[in-house]
């Protein structure tokens, strides 16, 4: 075969050699056993065996899309982050939605928190904002995170999610009462990814050009309106299309119905944190809007679907320690744990060079550092480039300018409980949330909780959970107790 015959339409092996027959394996005669020398067959089977990578332990089932973030309001007084520096400034983004507890093969329309992870491709590097569709979470210390997830995952013996495990953990984690009230309420099953809010959930730090520090919480409010599903509606949808949320997002963008969210922040001067009535760094708590009103920042729009879900959604890697100048961490314990855990998960799943994959690589700037080699490295440089610093060869150098303001420290090292603020019990905000609900919302919340709790086999686990709802609000506890009793007596 001439060189001219090897065109873009010629099927080749991975080494570039032309494939003569892609329909029949090489054999020892007609009908004989196959040959070990059939390189094309062995290469196809070997690659097929390795097409999938380990799925995420959490947030395994996901969907994503590209778009942009546009600044609509001046926030330069709070942060010197360049992508937030001027009204009208646009930054490309990639947003990944996900369920939390189920596996990659699970369904979309289930009662579960939703991941809401945004990668901003800024001119100062990629900024990853990793959050959920709820402003709070089940626990406040990362030491409990593996235990919590184990309790929600499939049981090692039965191979399914067990109410005994789910509610037993919550029985021993009273701080989960607030998030349980969110999860079992009307917003526990979003109708689609487009019809839910997103939250940074954690507390972050912003620093302005004068070095003043502020603590902030992010709120992405859906411009499509909140829409949710009842348990009955969700069951019907799952039976028809397990990929309902993925289908909805894909088709909406293909039709040009581009979903959008308005970003607001709550801003707390750093000096106010110590005396605030709630611990502002407790992930199980919110900051009431009457204390810190929402301030509009900009608009996030999704307008392009990925070309390849595996390459761009499954391999998308988000890590909350990817900050840019003007934004940094807070003493939020769960955030502090995730600063390590997320990046480490991606190094395990995708390899140490996962940041060189197209979806993860910077787009508005160039990564320039001394990280070299390793599996699938694509950043090899010329013979004069050095892999150490400092050097005498004009390699990249440090700026000497910290990304954010330093956090104040005091006391002795040790395994401390978080300091208590005046309203820092585990039940007050859960009760406040319950009392905000309409009569119909309360009834559905009670039914959802009782439906799961009544399946628990141990009376003591049920009683521990009931005590949490009683502590949040007497009516809340009474109604859950009566509903559980009625279901168990049937």
């Amino acid at each position: 075969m001439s060189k001219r015959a090897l065109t873009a339409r010629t099927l080749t092996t991975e080494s570039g050699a032309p494939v003569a027959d892609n329909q029949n394996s090489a054999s020892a005669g007609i009908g004989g056993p196959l040959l070990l020398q059939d390189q094309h067959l062995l290469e196809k089977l070997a690659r097929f065996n390795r097409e999938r990578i380990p799925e995420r332990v959490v947030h395994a089932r996901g969907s994503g899309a590209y778009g942009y973030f546009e600044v609509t309001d001046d926030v330069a007084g709070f942060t010197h982050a360049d992508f937030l520096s001027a009204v009208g400034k646009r930054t490309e983004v990639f947003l990944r939605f996900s369920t939390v507890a189920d596996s990659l093969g699970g369904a979309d329309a289930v009662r579960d928190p939703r991941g809401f992870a945004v990668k901003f491709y800024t001119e100062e590097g990629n900024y990853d904002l990793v959050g959920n569709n709820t402003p709070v979470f089940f626990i406040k210390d990362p030491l409990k995170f593996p235990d919590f997830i184990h309790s929600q995952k499939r049981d090692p013996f039965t191979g399914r999610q067990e109410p005994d495990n789910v509610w037993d953990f919550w029985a021993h984690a009273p701080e989960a009462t607030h998030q349980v009230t969110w999860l079992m309420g009307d917003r526990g099953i979003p109708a689609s990814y487009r019809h839910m809010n997103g939250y940074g959930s954690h507390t972050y730090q912003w620093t302005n050009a004068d070095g003043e520090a502020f603590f902030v919480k992010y709120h992405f409010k859906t411009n499509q309106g909140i829409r949710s599903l009842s348990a009955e509606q969700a069951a019907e949808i799952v039976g028809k299309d397990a990929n309902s949320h993925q289908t909805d997002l894909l088709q909406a963008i293909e039709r040009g119905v581009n979903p959008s969210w308005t970003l607001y922040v709550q801003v707390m001067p750093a000096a106010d944190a110590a005396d605030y009535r709630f611990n502002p760094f407790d992930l199980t708590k919110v900051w009431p809007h009457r204390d810190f009103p929402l301030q509009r920042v900009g608009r996030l729009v999704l307008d392009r679907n990925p070309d390849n879900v595996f390459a761009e959604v499954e391999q998308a890697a988000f890590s909350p320690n990817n900050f840019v100048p003007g934004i940094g961490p807070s003493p939020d314990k769960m955030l502090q744990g995730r600063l390590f855990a997320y990046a480490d998960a991606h190094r395990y799943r995708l390899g140490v060079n996962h940041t060189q994959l197209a979806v993860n690589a910077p787009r508005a700037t160039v990564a320039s550092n001394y990280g070299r080699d390793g599996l699938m490295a694509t950043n090899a440089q010329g013979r004069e480039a050095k892999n150490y610093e400092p050097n005498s060869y004009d390699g990249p150098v440090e700026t000497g300018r910290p990304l954010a303001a330093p956090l104040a420290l005091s006391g002795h090292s040790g395994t401390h409980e978080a300091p208590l603020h005046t309203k820092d019990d585990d039940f007050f905000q859960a009760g406040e949330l319950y009392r905000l609900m309409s009569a119909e919302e309360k009834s559905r919340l009670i039914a959802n909780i009782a439906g799961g709790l009544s399946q628990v086999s141990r009376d003591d686990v049920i009683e521990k959970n009931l005590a949490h709802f009683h502590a949040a609000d007497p009516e809340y506890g009474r109604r859950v107790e009566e509903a559980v009793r009625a279901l168990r007596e049937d």
Side-chain angles (χ1 to χ4, degrees):
M1 182 178 290
S2 68
K3 291 183 179 179
R4 190 169 299 171
L6 287 178
T7 68
R9 303 298 298 171
T10 299
L11 179 65
T12 73
T13 64
E14 293 183 25
S15 62
V19 173
D21 189 342
N22 193 44
Q23 315 305 319
N24 303 286
S25 303
S27 62
I30 298 175
L34 302 187
L35 299 176
L36 188 63
Q37 71 182 39
D38 188 346
Q39 185 262 355
H40 183 49
L41 169 66
L42 300 187
E43 183 176 82
K44 285 186 72 174
L45 293 180
R47 167 167 281 281
F48 180 76
N49 287 343
R50 294 162 175 81
E51 277 184 356
R52 291 297 168 261
I53 58 178
E55 69 174 46
R56 291 167 168 86
V57 177
V58 289
H59 298 279
R61 182 176 182 81
S63 302
Y66 293 95
Y68 63 87
F69 177 79
E70 181 177 6
V71 179
T72 58
D73 294 78
D74 183 7
V75 292
F78 301 121
T79 176
H80 65 88
D82 181 70
F83 79 103
L84 299 174
S85 61
V87 172
K89 188 174 181 66
R90 284 192 177 188
T91 300
E92 185 181 3
V93 301
F94 182 78
L95 198 160
R96 185 178 187 271
F97 306 97
S98 57
T99 54
V100 175
D102 212 345
S103 64
L104 188 59
D108 285 344
V110 295
R111 189 173 297 279
D112 196 20
R114 299 299 191 276
F116 193 98
V118 188
K119 187 180 295 290
F120 297 85
Y121 298 102
T122 89
E123 296 170 17
E124 297 178 300
N126 290 353
Y127 171 45
D128 289 350
L129 180 58
V130 179
N132 285 330
N133 71 326
T134 59
V136 294
F137 197 60
F138 298 93
I139 54 176
K140 62 181 76 174
D141 193 302
L143 197 63
K144 298 176 72 171
F145 188 75
D147 301 296
F148 164 62
I149 294 301
H150 290 163
S151 74
Q152 310 297 301
K153 287 285 191 178
R154 297 176 184 270
D155 182 84
F157 174 65
T158 67
R160 65 181 189 181
Q161 189 183 62
E162 289 292 344
D164 275 0
N165 299 346
V166 170
W167 288 95
D168 185 38
F169 182 88
W170 288 342
H172 292 88
E175 70 268 28
T177 308
H178 193 186
Q179 174 72 313
V180 170
T181 304
W182 270 90
L183 179 63
M184 297 299 172
D186 281 358
R187 297 191 185 186
I189 313 178
S192 78
Y193 289 132
R194 296 183 297 129
H195 294 93
M196 68 181 196
N197 291 340
Y199 300 89
S201 301
H202 296 288
T203 299
Y204 294 91
Q205 185 206 77
W206 278 7
T207 308
N208 67 18
D210 296 324
E212 293 178 286
F214 304 87
F215 292 118
V216 300
K217 282 186 175 291
Y218 295 88
H219 301 251
F220 291 88
K221 299 289 188 178
T222 175
N223 294 325
Q224 290 70 238
I226 295 288
R227 285 183 52 205
S228 302
L229 302 172
S230 67
E232 295 74 21
Q233 290 171 324
E236 181 179 354
I237 289 173
V238 168
K240 293 179 179 178
D241 182 7
N243 305 297
S244 57
H245 287 29
Q246 164 68 15
T247 302
D248 176 86
L249 181 66
L250 175 75
Q251 293 181 350
I253 295 175
E254 289 298 292
R255 295 195 311 269
V257 182
N258 298 328
S260 66
W261 289 258
T262 300
L263 173 61
Y264 299 86
V265 291
Q266 291 176 283
V267 181
M268 174 189 294
D272 293 356
D275 297 324
Y276 186 47
R277 57 194 175 121
F278 305 110
N279 180 353
F281 312 118
D282 181 346
L283 187 56
T284 68
K285 304 288 194 301
V286 297
W287 302 354
H289 293 179
R290 63 180 176 271
D291 295 345
F292 298 98
L294 295 179
Q295 302 189 46
R296 194 175 65 176
V297 179
R299 184 171 66 116
L300 186 154
V301 179
L302 299 181
D303 59 8
R304 180 167 67 88
N305 284 310
D307 293 323
N308 184 298
V309 171
F310 176 78
E312 298 167 88
V313 179
E314 184 65 12
Q315 292 193 126
F318 299 84
S319 178
N321 63 5
N322 287 338
F323 293 113
V324 292
I327 304 178
S330 78
D332 179 336
K333 281 189 173 185
M334 283 296 296
L335 173 60
Q336 291 285 322
R338 285 172 168 158
L339 296 180
F340 162 77
Y342 274 58
D344 188 58
H346 300 313
R347 293 184 189 104
Y348 161 68
R349 293 182 60 247
L350 303 169
V352 71
N353 289 307
H354 66 272
T355 55
Q356 296 174 34
L357 296 172
V359 69
N360 300 321
R363 298 191 172 201
T365 186
V366 176
S368 183
N369 55 56
Y370 295 93
R372 303 283 176 84
D373 305 334
L375 188 67
M376 302 301 292
T378 62
N379 63 344
Q381 301 176 26
R383 69 177 70 180
E384 296 299 325
K386 304 303 177 184
N387 64 345
Y388 58 87
E389 196 279 333
N391 61 62
S392 303
Y393 295 84
D394 201 29
V397 296
E398 63 198 27
T399 67
R401 298 189 298 272
L403 300 186
L407 298 174
L409 304 174
S410 65
H412 303 280
S413 62
T415 54
H416 306 291
E417 292 186 6
L420 287 178
H421 293 233
T422 56
K423 287 289 187 181
D424 263 348
D425 65 77
D426 293 320
F427 310 110
F428 176 81
Q429 290 199 353
E432 290 277 271
L433 178 58
Y434 175 79
R435 290 183 287 274
L436 282 174
M437 295 179 179
S438 68
E440 294 79 12
E441 289 174 322
K442 289 178 180 177
S443 294
R444 290 189 291 267
L445 170 68
I446 300 303
N448 291 333
I449 293 175
L453 191 53
S454 63
Q455 299 179 53
V456 174
S457 62
R458 290 183 50 160
D459 290 342
D460 62 322
V461 172
I462 294 176
E463 291 300 321
K464 287 177 182 176
N465 279 285
L466 290 176
H468 298 166
F469 301 122
H470 279 291
D473 182 275
E475 177 194 285
Y476 188 8
R478 175 182 57 78
R479 293 185 63 182
V480 172
E481 184 171 2
E482 290 173 352
V484 169
R485 184 186 306 117
L487 288 172
R488 287 170 66 83
E489 288 175 351
D490 283 350

